[in-house]
């Protein structure tokens, strides 16, 4: 997972990008970077850490220009090394280009080998670099940026939401299935912003126009806004995990407010697995909207029993199991007075390895809880993600190795219920055939070696470009 943003037509654009990256921080904490174009050359600053750390003491005014792009990285392909920090910047045939990508390309190695066989060198281990190779190859052959992006859609397999700055122009495009989110909006002073999530648009006080459609390219040049559709797949494959966990609850993803999806899920879990209890408690913050929904539907009061230390990063990114366990203890403090002698419905978004739930249930029991009925906003996660979410291997996924009763036993819950896939899909409000459910079903929308694929053919359409902000039909 990663967060990307591109902004154009705003004075001191680096400040706006900086704020937008803050809004997207939940999408990646490993590194952050900004690139701008000052009408003659590229300016950049990037580094390892949170946005606040990377830009601490940096004079943002030195990143000059009215156009720029930014990135926060959560590693999927490629190790944590300086060369992999985005945006990637390069010069090619008098063009100054910067690129930022969210997603994961499953044919990365094949395309890399193709270019290496032609004598090209690579300086990173990130799959994003092959997008830059496809673009420069097309330009080398005399193609336009439109041609280059069309070519990307033909060649790249996997998930990609991409922003590209080339000289003073901003381009953005999304893979034919729309796996990762991407949307755009207008700022009050006539500027334009494209970002992974609408919260980045909100952060600037800008207005969300719409999502970039799957298979669509949009661009803003000196001639204004343009959009073009290169593919029109009958079935999309929006990542279901964006709704479950990854996107911020206050984001609109593909037209749907994530908070309301989670609240509906909470309501449906209470219908699927009712229980008599004294209180409904969230695992903050990931379980909150779900817990609110459960409480509303069941009539059981919503009571906070765990308080989160807001100054800790995500425990998931700790490198070892032991460190992750310590981190959970520091991160959440139980309120004993709310727990002592009580039966609690504990609601969270997902169980991945099972470590978090077990630790939380242990500290709640130590604080006096009598019963803990665990309710989970996703079905069992049984398979890895190859399309951009950092999911462990099957071996590490508790849902891949154990049945529900075994998981309940291991996390020491009194009862355990995962929402059904059917109820989850109803809560999202899109047909299941437009969602990627790979991590839940082990069936992927794209061919992945050794995995089962649900084929979803892509039609290549060559729409004329249009200048209205509305999607091409
Ligand atoms: P665990 O079961 O200990 O692996 O942790 C599961 C918790 O981590 C979930 O409740 C989520 O809040 C969070 N989580 C789930 N998937 C991810 C992910 N891919 N990256 C970071 N955190 C995640």
């Amino acid at each position: 997972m990663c967060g990307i943003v591109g902004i154009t037509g705003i004075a001191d654009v680096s400040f706006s990008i900086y704020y937008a990256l803050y809004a997207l921080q939940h999408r990646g904490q490993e590194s952050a970077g900004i690139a701008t174009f000052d009408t003659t050359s590229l300016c950049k600053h990037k580094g390892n850490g949170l946005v606040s750390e990377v830009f601490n003491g940096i004079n943002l005014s030195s990143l000059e220009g009215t156009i720029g792009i930014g990135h926060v990285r959560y590693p999927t392909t490629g190790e944590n090394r300086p060369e992999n920090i985005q945006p990637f910047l390069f010069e090619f045939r008098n063009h100054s280009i910067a690129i930022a990508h969210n997603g994961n390309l499953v044919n990365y190695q094949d395309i890399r080998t193709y270019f290496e066989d032609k004598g090209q060198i690579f300086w990173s281990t990130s799959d994003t670099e092959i997008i830059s190779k496809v673009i420069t190859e097309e330009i080398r052959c005399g193609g336009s940026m439109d041609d280059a992006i069309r070519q990307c859609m033909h060649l790249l397999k996997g998930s990609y939401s991409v922003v590209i700055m080339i000289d003073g122009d901003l381009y953005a495009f999304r893979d034919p299935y729309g796996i990762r989110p991407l949307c755009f909006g207008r700022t009050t002073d006539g500027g334009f912003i494209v970002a992974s999530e609408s919260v980045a648009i909100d952060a600037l006080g800008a207005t969300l126009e719409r999502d970039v459609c799957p298979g669509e390219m949009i661009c803003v040049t000196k001639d204004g806004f343009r959009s073009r559709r290169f593919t029109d797949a009958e079935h999309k494959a929006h990542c279901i995990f964006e709704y479950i966990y990854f996107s911020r609850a206050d984001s609109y993803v593909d037209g749907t407010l994530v908070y309301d999806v989670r609240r509906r899920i909470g309501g449906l879990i209470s219908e699927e697995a009712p229980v008599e209890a004294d209180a409904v408690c969230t695992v903050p913050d990931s379980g909150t909207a779900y817990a609110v929904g459960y409480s509303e539907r069941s009539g059981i009061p919503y009571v906070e029993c765990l308080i989160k230390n807001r100054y800790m990063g995500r425990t998931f990114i700790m490198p070892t199991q032991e460190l992750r366990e310590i981190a959970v203890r520091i991160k959440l403090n139980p309120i004993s007075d709310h727990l002592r002698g009580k039966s609690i419905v504990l609601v969270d978004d997902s169980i991945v390895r099972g470590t978090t739930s077990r630790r939380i249930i242990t500290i709640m029991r130590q604080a006096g809880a009598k019963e803990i009925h665990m309710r989970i906003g996703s079905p069992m996660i049984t398979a890895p993600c190859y399309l951009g979410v950092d999911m462990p291997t099957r071996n590490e996924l508790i849902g891949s190795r154990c049945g529900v009763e075994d998981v309940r036993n291991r996390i020491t819950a009194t009862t355990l219920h995962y929402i059904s896939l059917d109820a989850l899909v109803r809560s999202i409000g899109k047909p299941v055939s437009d969602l990627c459910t790979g991590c839940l079903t082990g069936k992927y929308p794209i061919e992945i070696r050794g995995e089962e694929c649900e084929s979803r053919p892509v039609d290549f359409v060559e729409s004329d470009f249009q200048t209205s902000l509305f999607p091409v039909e």
Side-chain angles (χ1 to χ4, degrees):
M1 306 301 303
C2 294
I4 57 172
V5 58
I7 302 180
T8 184
I10 292 189
D12 298 322
V13 77
S14 52
F15 289 86
S16 299
I17 296 174
Y18 172 73
Y19 287 127
L21 290 183
Y22 248 108
L24 298 174
Q25 185 74 84
H26 60 288
R27 297 187 69 84
Q29 301 89 38
E30 189 184 83
S31 67
I34 295 178
T36 62
F37 182 68
D38 68 4
T39 70
T40 49
S41 56
L42 293 167
C43 315
K44 69 156 195 301
H45 180 74
K46 40 190 196 172
N48 273 318
L50 301 172
V51 176
S52 56
E53 294 161 349
V54 171
F55 292 95
N56 184 19
I58 297 298
N59 178 7
L60 284 172
S61 306
S62 65
L63 302 174
E64 287 181 34
T66 57
I67 178 170
I69 65 173
H71 188 269
V72 284
R73 175 175 155 85
Y74 186 116
T76 40
T77 299
E79 318 91 288
N80 177 7
R81 44 191 251 191
E83 299 88 320
N84 287 341
I85 302 178
Q86 297 189 37
F88 287 168
L89 286 73
F90 50 97
E91 304 279 334
F92 187 75
R93 298 221 164 140
N94 294 326
H95 293 296
S96 301
I97 306 174
I99 180 166
H101 163 217
N102 170 209
N104 201 47
L105 304 177
V106 296
N107 63 343
Y108 159 65
Q109 204 52 56
D110 297 344
I111 299 189
R112 182 170 171 143
T113 305
Y114 165 82
F115 281 114
E116 283 178 340
D117 287 349
K118 291 175 76 167
Q120 298 237 12
I121 58 152
F122 284 78
W123 39 265
S124 78
T125 55
S126 161
D127 55 349
T128 305
E129 201 178 353
I130 66 166
I131 304 178
S132 60
K133 296 287 182 204
V134 174
I135 303 255
T136 50
E137 180 66 6
E138 196 60 33
I139 294 174
R140 189 183 72 79
C141 296
S144 63
M145 268 307 279
D146 287 26
D147 297 328
I149 292 171
R150 183 199 292 113
Q151 186 67 341
C152 283
M153 293 206 191
H154 274 282
L155 291 179
L156 306 177
K157 301 268 176 283
S159 57
Y160 48 94
S161 285
V162 179
V163 288
I164 296 179
M165 178 170 67
I166 171 159
D167 307 323
D169 298 339
L170 181 67
Y171 286 80
F173 60 100
R174 198 173 172 199
D175 68 69
Y177 298 110
I179 299 174
R180 297 284 142 234
L182 193 66
C183 57
F184 66 90
R186 298 246 176 214
T187 65
T188 45
D189 47 0
F192 180 93
I193 169 171
V194 56
S196 295
E197 287 182 42
S198 60
V199 285
I201 295 174
D202 295 343
L204 302 190
T207 308
L208 172 68
E209 292 287 348
R210 64 171 172 87
D211 296 281
V212 176
C213 297
E216 185 187 23
M217 171 204 89
I218 60 168
C219 72
V220 182
T221 66
K222 61 179 179 355
D223 300 322
F225 173 88
R226 226 161 35 85
S227 114
R228 200 163 179 185
R229 194 89 176 256
F230 292 121
T231 70
D232 188 13
E234 190 183 338
H235 297 293
K236 313 296 183 279
H238 303 301
C239 167
I240 206 160
F241 212 65
E242 290 280 351
Y243 293 99
I244 295 170
Y245 173 74
F246 224 89
S247 288
R248 252 173 62 167
D250 46 342
S251 278
Y252 284 83
V253 173
D254 288 303
T256 307
L257 178 61
V258 174
Y259 190 98
D260 285 350
V261 170
R262 294 180 186 165
R263 194 169 167 184
R264 281 194 289 274
I265 294 172
L268 291 178
I269 307 177
S270 96
E271 286 180 9
E272 284 187 349
V275 63
E276 274 186 29
D278 300 303
V280 177
C281 163
T282 173
V283 175
D285 295 316
S286 55
T288 302
Y290 298 93
V292 167
Y294 193 104
S295 165
E296 282 170 348
R297 191 70 60 92
S298 63
I300 302 171
Y302 172 80
V303 181
E304 292 196 48
C305 303
L306 296 162
I307 297 299
K308 184 171 173 180
N309 180 336
R310 297 193 191 282
Y311 302 96
M312 281 231 17
R314 287 184 171 183
T315 51
F316 207 88
I317 58 176
M318 296 292 169
T320 66
Q321 192 70 5
E322 193 190 350
L323 282 173
R324 278 195 286 273
E325 301 216 359
I326 296 171
V328 174
R329 243 184 354 248
I330 299 170
K331 196 169 167 179
L332 290 174
N333 194 32
I335 306 181
S336 304
D337 279 0
H338 292 182
L339 289 166
R340 207 169 297 115
K342 297 282 193 318
S343 291
I344 303 290
V345 178
L346 180 65
V347 192
D348 203 359
D349 64 298
S350 60
I351 297 179
V352 181
R353 295 179 171 88
T355 321
T356 312
S357 316
R358 199 188 64 243
R359 283 295 326 158
I360 291 172
I361 291 172
T362 306
I363 58 175
M364 289 172 79
R365 285 198 192 281
Q366 285 165 350
K370 189 173 71 182
E371 292 177 346
I372 295 171
H373 303 279
M374 187 94 204
R375 299 292 179 266
I376 301 296
S378 71
M380 280 187 131
I381 295 172
T382 53
C385 177
Y386 300 91
L387 298 170
V389 177
D390 181 27
M391 284 284 181
T393 58
R394 278 193 171 78
N395 227 357
E396 293 165 281
L397 287 169
I398 194 167
S400 169
R401 291 180 283 114
C402 309
V404 177
E405 177 52 20
D406 200 3
V407 176
R408 185 205 62 73
N409 205 13
R410 283 170 192 244
I411 66 172
T412 72
T414 313
T415 65
L416 168 66
H417 180 76
Y418 293 85
I419 195 166
S420 64
L421 181 59
D422 176 60
L424 169 62
V425 170
R426 269 190 288 137
S427 307
I428 294 171
K430 297 189 190 307
V432 69
S433 54
D434 280 344
L435 295 166
C436 175
T437 59
C439 60
L440 310 176
T441 59
K443 292 182 191 144
Y444 301 86
I446 286 173
E447 263 177 51
I448 292 159
R449 267 177 220 127
E451 297 287 1
E452 199 177 328
C453 170
E454 280 175 338
S455 166
R456 300 186 192 189
V458 172
D459 290 334
F460 282 87
V461 292
E462 296 284 324
S463 83
D464 287 338
F465 66 76
Q466 63 158 32
T467 51
S468 117
L469 290 177
F470 297 103
V472 180
E473 291 305 330

